[in-house]
Amino acid sequence: MASVTPGPDRPVRYGRGMLQGLRAGRARSVRAAPDLAAVLGPFLVWWVAVVTVTTVSLASIPVVLDASYDHLRPHPVWVQSLVRWDSNYYLTIAERGYVSPEMPAFFPLYPLLVRLVASTGLAYPVAGILVSAVATVVALTHLRRLAVDHFGPAETLLHQRAVLLFLAGPSAFFLAAVYTESVFCALTFAAFHHARRQHWGRACALLALLTASRSPAVVVVLAVLVEYLTRPGARGHRVDRRVLWFLLTPAGLLAYLGYGARELGDPLAFLHAYDHGWAYQVFDPNVPATVLHVLGEWAALFGADGGPDVQNLFGHGLGPFAWLFCLVVTAASWRRQPAGFTALSLGTLVFVALNSNLQAVNRYVIVLFPVLFAVTGWRHLREESRFGLLLLASGAVMALGAVLFTHAEWVG
């Protein structure tokens, strides 16, 4: 068909393919609007609640921080309260790059996003909080879409409950902080959503970004590959050419390796960083021994003189409990879930237990939406009162963790 140049007296004429594309785009926008509308309200309530709790707690009981937090002094209390621990590394990388040997342990995607937003003139801590907030909304939108696919379009109550339970999780406050959890969840949920719809090109493009965000991305890639291999209509040993999309998935990691080789003189700098900053984290493939050892230490916290220490129970006890809880739920629900879901849960639990401790597991398992779906669909929670009690109890634990986090206590 001959091309037509639009002008003041000449209307634009569209071919059939172009019209179909425009209609499909409008249809996608219409479908996306209810998902976004359904999660914005809960997100705003949750975000305001987290910021209020952290701000009030820090304003009521000020905390003395070391020199690494000096960059926070010009900023208001509500900003300061969401920048702790690893946040300093992410902000330093965003502003100045990898300036010390332990920093390559933190992958570059989140700092790059913070740097991009800060280039508009926002302060780096505020930019980090904004990136986390937007990524959390994206994560919630795709979590709801996954819930619709998993539970069926008619189960609207379960869709919304999945969103609420995610926001009320014991470690969900990390999603509001200057941490990479929000971005990791957003990319993981979006990749799985597209994989469930068999949009393999989109899924793999998202996975390519994910591999530049954190090392457990390798588990997500393998879990989505399981989704591909067990997809409806897969026949025996026949390989669909769409599997070639998976060649994209290591792109983010390969780019980081190239940066390490060129700028840091070590393509494996992200692994060698642990020799400088976290010597207590040692690779140990004996996962059962690690778990048993950590659970023994966890049990000892209850027998401490003077009673259990709340700080240690949260910071060093919640991780082992979360690991064990997720394992039990995964084992109990694997028959009722897609193979890729089970692969994500089991793979993540094994991966996070390979470093000889489970201290931050309560943060790493935030991404395990299959566990969330299993709990959401539990028949004993069908009653509104029981679900409300679970939501209240989990939210209270999250608020406690947020307060401890704000006061620079280790909470995962």
Side-chain angles (χ1 to χ4, degrees):
M1 186 176 73
S3 62
V4 179
T5 303
D9 300 317
R10 184 175 294 172
V12 178
R13 300 186 183 276
Y14 297 105
R16 181 179 299 175
M18 188 179 295
L19 282 172
Q20 290 175 343
L22 289 172
R23 288 167 183 162
R26 284 197 294 268
R28 284 194 295 270
S29 299
V30 169
R31 287 196 299 269
D35 293 318
L36 184 60
V39 303
L40 270 181
F43 164 78
L44 289 173
V45 171
W46 166 84
W47 193 87
V48 170
V50 171
V51 172
T52 300
V53 166
T54 56
T55 302
V56 170
S57 65
L58 186 58
S60 303
I61 310 174
V63 59
V64 178
L65 300 172
D66 61 36
S68 63
Y69 291 95
D70 285 347
H71 60 284
L72 289 179
R73 300 192 190 282
H75 302 293
V77 175
W78 75 270
V79 173
Q80 296 183 37
S81 67
L82 296 174
V83 179
R84 292 290 182 269
W85 295 99
D86 293 354
S87 304
N88 275 325
Y89 289 106
Y90 288 121
L91 291 176
T92 300
I93 295 167
E95 190 169 2
R96 297 190 286 130
Y98 291 93
V99 294
S100 61
E102 75 275 6
M103 284 187 178
F106 300 93
F107 278 45
L109 180 61
Y110 183 79
L112 282 173
L113 292 174
V114 174
R115 185 181 184 88
L116 179 64
V117 174
S119 67
T120 64
L122 287 176
Y124 278 89
V126 177
I129 293 170
L130 181 60
V131 168
S132 293
V134 172
T136 300
V137 173
V138 174
L140 290 171
T141 302
H142 285 92
L143 176 68
R144 190 176 186 278
R145 291 173 182 173
L146 281 167
V148 171
D149 290 343
H150 184 68
F151 294 113
E155 297 285 356
T156 54
L157 182 62
L158 293 182
H159 309 159
Q160 202 64 5
R161 282 186 172 187
V163 169
L164 294 176
L165 274 180
F166 178 72
L167 290 174
S171 299
F173 59 88
F174 280 108
L175 298 167
V178 182
Y179 265 67
T180 191
E181 266 59 41
S182 56
V183 170
F184 194 82
C185 286
L187 290 171
T188 298
F189 298 168
F192 259 96
H193 165 70
H194 287 297
R196 296 294 293 163
R197 298 293 179 89
Q198 298 198 47
H199 301 154
W200 301 109
R202 300 175 196 174
C204 291
L206 290 163
L207 291 173
L209 289 173
L210 192 70
T211 58
S213 68
R214 211 165 64 191
S215 55
V218 65
V219 175
V220 185
V221 171
L222 292 176
V224 173
L225 181 59
V226 171
E227 279 289 312
Y228 170 81
L229 295 174
T230 58
R231 69 196 184 282
R235 296 181 180 178
H237 297 292
R238 289 184 61 185
V239 177
D240 192 297
R241 64 183 179 182
R242 291 177 297 177
V243 75
L244 296 176
W245 284 115
F246 283 88
L247 296 176
L248 285 176
T249 58
L253 177 59
L254 291 175
Y256 190 34
L257 292 176
Y259 172 85
R262 186 180 67 253
E263 301 295 334
L264 306 176
D266 181 7
L268 299 179
F270 72 97
L271 291 176
H272 298 151
Y274 290 92
D275 299 333
H276 300 279
W278 298 273
Y280 64 89
Q281 293 192 12
V282 180
F283 175 76
D284 185 355
N286 193 345
V287 173
T290 297
V291 174
L292 289 175
H293 174 72
V294 172
L295 289 177
E297 291 181 336
W298 176 67
L301 292 173
F302 289 94
D305 294 339
D309 185 333
V310 173
Q311 173 201 330
N312 282 330
L313 279 176
F314 200 108
H316 300 281
L318 189 59
F321 177 81
W323 193 94
L324 198 59
F325 175 81
C326 291
L327 180 65
V328 170
V329 172
T330 300
S333 61
W334 71 273
R335 290 181 180 273
R336 299 186 299 276
Q337 293 195 340
F341 287 21
T342 302
L344 175 67
S345 297
L346 287 180
T348 299
L349 292 175
V350 170
F351 189 92
V352 300
L354 290 175
N355 67 349
S356 74
N357 68 77
L358 302 178
Q359 288 188 12
V361 168
N362 52 302
R363 175 159 53 90
Y364 297 148
V365 298
I366 294 175
V367 75
L368 295 187
F369 69 89
V371 173
L372 179 73
F373 286 174
V375 174
T376 301
W378 196 27
R379 61 186 179 85
H380 294 291
L381 293 178
R382 289 282 179 173
E383 291 184 16
E384 198 72 31
S385 58
R386 290 180 179 177
F387 178 78
L389 286 174
L390 174 63
L391 205 64
L392 185 62
S394 186
V397 175
M398 180 185 66
L400 173 61
V403 170
L404 292 172
F405 174 81
T406 297
H407 286 82
E409 302 290 354
W410 173 256
V411 289

